[in-house]
Amino acid sequence: MAESARIQSIDVIRDVKAALLDFAKEAGLCLTSVDADVQRVGQWLTLERPAYWKHEVRKREEAVEAAKAEIRRKEFAAYPNPADTVLERKALKRQKERLERAVLKQDRVRKWAPAWEREGTIFKGGCAPLNEVLHREIPQAIARLDKMAESLEEYFRMQAPPTEGLTGTAAATQDAESMARGKEAREEAALAHPGDRYGSLRAFVPMPEERVLHAEFEMPRMQWQAGSPSPDDTEALSRMDLCGEMPSMDETVAVSWRATREDHVFLVRLPKVIGGSSRDTGWYIGPVERPETIGGTRVCTVGELLGQVEGLAVLLRFREGTLAVLHRGIVKTVLNADDHDVWGVGGSGVVH
Amino acid sequence: MSAQVAKANLIDALKALHQRWERAKSHWDDKASADFERQVIEQIEPRVRSAIKSFDQVTELISMVKRECGDDDRE
């Protein structure tokens, strides 16, 4: 049996979403900043440094020439005596060493410029998994959390006690009475011609894409009011021609949130939605009263559904086109694909 | 922001995410939260580690390049 969702509030989902967004923002800044550093060093190596060292080599060559000229000048001045050029020769040696270092640096820059491009690529490769998290996985996780929050919101809304009281104004009371009379009349008509009334429920099923969006959180505990067929009815239903094979436990069923707490529901098996990761059985469960107000759709697995309402298993075996109506454990009708009632006539033999 | 500052900030961001996730887990404890943790939260740390390793390498390289190509004997 599927475990119920244990989440105390939608705010938890929102907090997780905010935490992911904050992380993505900060991590994005860090990546951008280091990437900018790498780019800056690349430009420094390819643009600024070559020009700098070219200029510096020329300047130091000139300094070497100037030091040599100073020695010559002193030698001329002292001629024919030998000149004391110890200091000048030391200066020349120092300028030559500075020139050598500049030439060496020029070589280093020439070596590093293309190598830095490779290092930049390696750096990007090392950060690619985090970039993937920031630009693909976190947005996907956010979308997943949004979907969860939406479904939970709908679920909590449906769980909330009804707020539309019938007490208050006379008009409201009259409306309620009128609704009750209308309901009785519809039920009488339904008893006489189940296909006429219940067949129209086929029009109130969600679009195919809504019937296959499997929720991310587990099926919460339903307040299932519609019951399940009695053992006798289950026996009779299982002998009907419409009864086929049981769907797999991991195939899916779409359930209207309202149907999970209404006492009068219909189960209709539509053509399966095929494609993508769909494991659709084609089954949809909706409310008989105000069937147009679905209150959101929950897609759950057969296993999750039967984990909570085991007795529905016999109905899930019915073939495509079947529509069954269940009211507080009583099978009101089973319609075949042509909307012929096969329950009252060919099923239990008892019109409920 | 230098690569070392970025590294420190990234580690802090990961720690903050983990703390907030732990807090959330105390209010959301079911298979869906376990799946989310395994599929999303736990996937982040190894990627952050990989990025931090790259930050360290790049920091070292930048120092080396500056040392080798910079001018340390200006007059």
Side-chain angles (χ1 to χ4, degrees), chain A residues 61 70 96-97 109 163 198 255 279 287 311 334:
Chain A
E61 281 170 347
E70 183 59 17
K96 279 183 174 174
E97 284 168 356
V109 170
T163 52
Y198 295 125
V255 187
R279 299 275 295 146
V334 177

Tab-separated table of all heavy atoms in Angstrom, chain A residues 61 70 96-97 109 163 198 255 279 287 311 334:
chain	number	residue	atom	x	y	z
A	61	GLU	N	67.253	47.399	-23.745
A	61	GLU	CA	68.342	47.391	-24.744
A	61	GLU	C	69.001	48.769	-24.776
A	61	GLU	O	70.232	48.895	-24.809
A	61	GLU	CB	67.795	47.038	-26.130
A	61	GLU	CG	67.556	45.551	-26.328
A	61	GLU	CD	66.783	45.238	-27.622
A	61	GLU	OE1	66.222	46.175	-28.233
A	61	GLU	OE2	66.741	44.052	-27.989
A	70	GLU	N	78.573	54.905	-21.494
A	70	GLU	CA	79.147	55.534	-20.303
A	70	GLU	C	80.558	55.018	-20.048
A	70	GLU	O	81.482	55.799	-19.729
A	70	GLU	CB	78.228	55.253	-19.089
A	70	GLU	CG	78.654	55.912	-17.795
A	70	GLU	CD	78.735	57.442	-17.872
A	70	GLU	OE1	78.163	58.040	-18.805
A	70	GLU	OE2	79.434	58.037	-17.019
A	96	LYS	N	72.321	44.424	-18.429
A	96	LYS	CA	72.248	43.223	-19.289
A	96	LYS	C	71.377	42.149	-18.648
A	96	LYS	O	70.595	41.483	-19.327
A	96	LYS	CB	73.676	42.681	-19.515
A	96	LYS	CG	74.437	43.400	-20.583
A	96	LYS	CD	75.788	42.739	-20.769
A	96	LYS	CE	76.526	43.357	-21.949
A	96	LYS	NZ	77.899	42.836	-22.054
A	97	GLU	N	71.496	41.988	-17.321
A	97	GLU	CA	70.669	40.978	-16.622
A	97	GLU	C	69.190	41.349	-16.703
A	97	GLU	O	68.339	40.491	-16.902
A	97	GLU	CB	71.101	40.878	-15.150
A	97	GLU	CG	72.395	40.103	-14.981
A	97	GLU	CD	72.993	40.240	-13.580
A	97	GLU	OE1	72.447	41.011	-12.743
A	97	GLU	OE2	74.023	39.579	-13.319
A	109	VAL	N	55.456	34.785	-21.834
A	109	VAL	CA	54.147	35.281	-22.284
A	109	VAL	C	53.739	34.550	-23.561
A	109	VAL	O	52.590	34.124	-23.703
A	109	VAL	CB	54.189	36.816	-22.502
A	109	VAL	CG1	52.921	37.305	-23.194
A	109	VAL	CG2	54.375	37.530	-21.174
A	163	THR	N	-17.472	25.802	3.033
A	163	THR	CA	-17.763	27.115	3.606
A	163	THR	C	-19.108	27.638	3.126
A	163	THR	O	-19.605	28.623	3.646
A	163	THR	CB	-16.675	28.116	3.205
A	163	THR	OG1	-16.534	28.069	1.792
A	163	THR	CG2	-15.352	27.805	3.874
A	198	TYR	N	-26.281	8.950	-17.017
A	198	TYR	CA	-24.870	8.736	-16.714
A	198	TYR	C	-23.972	8.779	-17.961
A	198	TYR	O	-22.792	9.114	-17.856
A	198	TYR	CB	-24.670	7.421	-15.972
A	198	TYR	CG	-25.323	7.413	-14.604
A	198	TYR	CD1	-26.230	6.423	-14.241
A	198	TYR	CD2	-25.029	8.399	-13.671
A	198	TYR	CE1	-26.824	6.408	-12.992
A	198	TYR	CE2	-25.622	8.404	-12.415
A	198	TYR	CZ	-26.524	7.405	-12.076
A	198	TYR	OH	-27.094	7.408	-10.835
A	255	VAL	N	-7.651	10.760	-11.179
A	255	VAL	CA	-8.748	10.896	-10.217
A	255	VAL	C	-8.997	12.380	-9.961
A	255	VAL	O	-8.063	13.127	-9.679
A	255	VAL	CB	-8.398	10.215	-8.864
A	255	VAL	CG1	-9.613	10.229	-7.937
A	255	VAL	CG2	-7.892	8.807	-9.066
A	279	ARG	N	1.838	5.733	-18.652
A	279	ARG	CA	1.493	4.360	-18.277
A	279	ARG	C	-0.011	4.339	-18.024
A	279	ARG	O	-0.504	3.654	-17.138
A	279	ARG	CB	2.262	3.937	-17.006
A	279	ARG	CG	3.750	3.945	-17.120
A	279	ARG	CD	4.281	2.649	-17.717
A	279	ARG	NE	4.015	1.520	-16.844
A	279	ARG	CZ	3.744	0.288	-17.278
A	279	ARG	NH1	3.670	0.043	-18.569
A	279	ARG	NH2	3.532	-0.702	-16.437
A	287	PRO	N	-16.588	13.121	-10.163
A	287	PRO	CA	-17.804	13.230	-9.360
A	287	PRO	C	-19.055	13.222	-10.251
A	287	PRO	O	-19.032	13.812	-11.337
A	287	PRO	CB	-17.637	14.596	-8.676
A	287	PRO	CG	-16.802	15.386	-9.628
A	287	PRO	CD	-15.926	14.424	-10.375
A	311	GLY	N	-11.457	-2.362	-2.933
A	311	GLY	CA	-12.650	-2.898	-3.595
A	311	GLY	C	-12.877	-2.382	-5.007
A	311	GLY	O	-13.735	-2.899	-5.728
A	334	VAL	N	-23.641	0.082	-14.841
A	334	VAL	CA	-22.428	-0.161	-15.634
A	334	VAL	C	-22.884	-0.004	-17.082
A	334	VAL	O	-23.769	-0.729	-17.538
A	334	VAL	CB	-21.856	-1.572	-15.396
A	334	VAL	CG1	-20.647	-1.804	-16.292
A	334	VAL	CG2	-21.471	-1.774	-13.933
